[in-house]
Amino acid sequence: MESREQLNQSQVSEFVLPGLINSQDIQFLLFALFSVIYVVTVSGNLLIVVTVFYIPNLNTPMYFLLGNLSFVDMTLASFATPKMIVNLVKKHKTISFAGCFTQIFLLHLLGGVEMVLLVSMAYDRYVAICKPLHYMTIMNKKVCVLLVVISWFLGLLHSGLQIPFAVNLPFCGPNVVDSIFCDLPLVTELACVDTCIVQIVIVANSGMISLSCFIILLISYSLILITIRSHSSTGQSKAHSTLTAHITVVILFFGPCIFIYIWPFSNHPVDKFLAMFYTIVTPILNPIIYTLRNKEMKIAMKKLWSAFMSSREVSVVSLVIKSFPF
């Protein structure tokens, strides 16, 4: 009887997402800015995915993991950004109950996958620099595929362990999620019951996973930096360039995650701006960092463009021949 009454109290069918700022003029500017960023993010990451899996020269463990990271970034940028962009020009900025928890599920799934992929990329660089003679033996194709499969499994496990705790909570009144998208700490805070257990689950899961992965990455890159000191100056320069790109992405991704999920119910006003980093800023920085600083990727993209233009020329010639038979 008590559970039925509790169920009847759960009357919230949608949530309100007020966004970053209330000024309508600034919202239109943000609409234009985020629209451009989103298109560039998806296009840039898609270009990396196509280049990595099309150009034979990039058939290496590092680029295989990079291609998978770009795919995750492309989907990570798409799970909430289109809805956020539309809400900037809408009067009623709402999202359905199911849509809200779908965002939460995808956020933690893709976030978990990206964390494990970044750790895998750090391990790849560690083997390449610290054990170069055994690199292709250790990082063979089966190992690379296994690392990607493990990342998706752990991402699914990470998300699946948290969602049941929140989706079954009774929501009977407040429905304003003070952010640009639905996230677990903010949504569970709106429940009509004590969410202490959920808070512990979030800290134990999201907070500690983010912190532990970040510590593992710091240790890995520290060992790599110590190792490359004994290499030649040319080797040091190339290694430093690669590591700088990796470390930049790691800090920008993990920094906001740790801040938000270690203290999930602290309600800092800056949280909504930090959330932009791992959903909007980091996905667009990856293609910029990994392409503009990478000579091999630039050459591969030129080859891809040349192949695309050649195929277009062949198609045009074939079309002309069919249209004007001799």
Side-chain angles (χ1 to χ4, degrees):
M1 186 71 179
E2 184 179 346
S3 62
R4 183 175 296 179
E5 289 177 3
Q6 190 181 57
L7 186 63
N8 290 335
Q9 288 179 344
S10 303
Q11 299 173 353
V12 172
S13 60
E14 63 181 15
F15 293 96
V16 179
L17 297 168
L20 289 172
I21 199 164
N22 294 325
S23 173
Q24 191 170 3
D25 293 335
I26 297 178
Q27 284 182 350
F28 278 110
L29 288 174
L30 291 176
F31 172 81
L33 176 63
F34 288 153
S35 296
V36 172
I37 290 176
Y38 177 67
V39 171
V40 173
T41 299
V42 173
S43 303
N45 282 293
L46 182 61
L47 180 60
I48 290 178
V49 172
V50 174
T51 304
V52 167
F53 291 100
Y54 182 82
I55 302 299
N57 293 351
L58 300 183
N59 188 20
T60 63
M62 184 182 81
Y63 290 110
F64 175 77
L65 294 173
L66 175 59
N68 281 275
L69 180 68
S70 293
F71 174 77
V72 174
D73 279 331
M74 188 168 54
T75 49
L76 186 62
S78 301
F79 87 95
T81 307
K83 177 67 176 174
M84 181 198 70
I85 292 172
V86 171
N87 279 349
L88 285 170
V89 292
K90 281 179 65 178
K91 187 175 181 180
H92 302 289
K93 309 176 191 299
T94 59
I95 184 172
S96 67
F97 187 91
C100 183
F101 277 93
T102 299
Q103 281 193 350
I104 294 173
F105 174 79
L106 292 174
L107 169 64
H108 289 273
L109 167 65
L110 298 169
V113 173
E114 177 137 351
M115 287 180 191
V116 182
L117 276 177
L118 288 171
V119 172
S120 300
M121 292 177 73
Y123 175 70
D124 170 74
R125 291 299 84 204
Y126 169 78
V127 175
I129 294 172
C130 299
K131 300 182 179 181
L133 297 178
H134 304 284
Y135 177 63
M136 293 310 298
T137 303
I138 297 174
M139 294 299 295
N140 57 62
K141 191 171 183 179
K142 288 183 179 179
V143 171
C144 292
V145 172
L146 181 62
L147 288 173
V148 172
V149 171
I150 290 173
S151 69
W152 281 97
F153 172 76
L154 292 178
L156 185 62
L157 185 65
H158 164 63
S159 185
L161 287 175
Q162 298 183 101
I163 296 299
F165 284 92
V167 75
N168 293 317
L169 290 173
F171 296 92
C172 54
N175 67 337
V176 178
V177 181
D178 189 22
S179 185
I180 56 176
F181 55 81
C182 290
D183 198 3
L184 208 54
L186 295 173
V187 173
T188 53
E189 198 176 32
L190 301 175
C192 304
V193 294
D194 183 20
T195 56
C196 181
I197 295 176
V198 178
Q199 181 178 356
I200 293 171
V201 170
I202 293 172
V203 173
N205 198 326
S206 296
M208 296 313 298
I209 286 176
S210 301
L211 186 60
S212 59
C213 285
F214 185 63
I215 292 172
I216 291 171
L217 287 167
L218 287 180
I219 293 172
S220 300
Y221 286 125
S222 297
L223 291 173
I224 294 171
L225 288 171
I226 292 170
T227 303
I228 63 175
R229 286 185 178 180
S230 59
H231 288 199
S232 64
S233 58
T234 305
Q236 280 191 24
S237 177
K238 186 175 180 181
H240 273 298
S241 178
T242 304
L243 289 178
T244 301
H246 284 242
I247 292 170
T248 302
V249 172
V250 165
I251 292 173
L252 288 175
F253 181 79
F254 280 93
C257 288
I258 292 170
F259 186 86
I260 290 172
Y261 294 111
I262 288 293
W263 300 280
F265 291 83
S266 55
N267 289 330
H268 291 286
V270 76
D271 281 1
K272 63 172 71 176
F273 294 96
L274 289 175
M276 290 174 53
F277 274 88
Y278 58 88
T279 55
I280 298 175
V281 177
T282 304
I284 194 175
L285 283 180
N286 281 355
I288 294 173
I289 290 172
Y290 287 117
T291 54
L292 296 182
R293 297 177 61 89
N294 193 309
K295 187 177 180 180
E296 289 179 337
M297 184 63 75
K298 289 180 187 176
I299 294 171
M301 286 183 174
K302 288 179 181 178
K303 288 182 180 179
L304 181 66
W305 177 253
S306 299
F308 173 71
M309 294 304 294
S310 299
S311 64
R312 281 194 64 183
E313 290 175 4
V314 171
S315 299
V316 171
V317 171
S318 301
L319 184 62
V320 170
I321 293 173
K322 289 180 181 178
S323 301
F324 302 97
F326 296 99

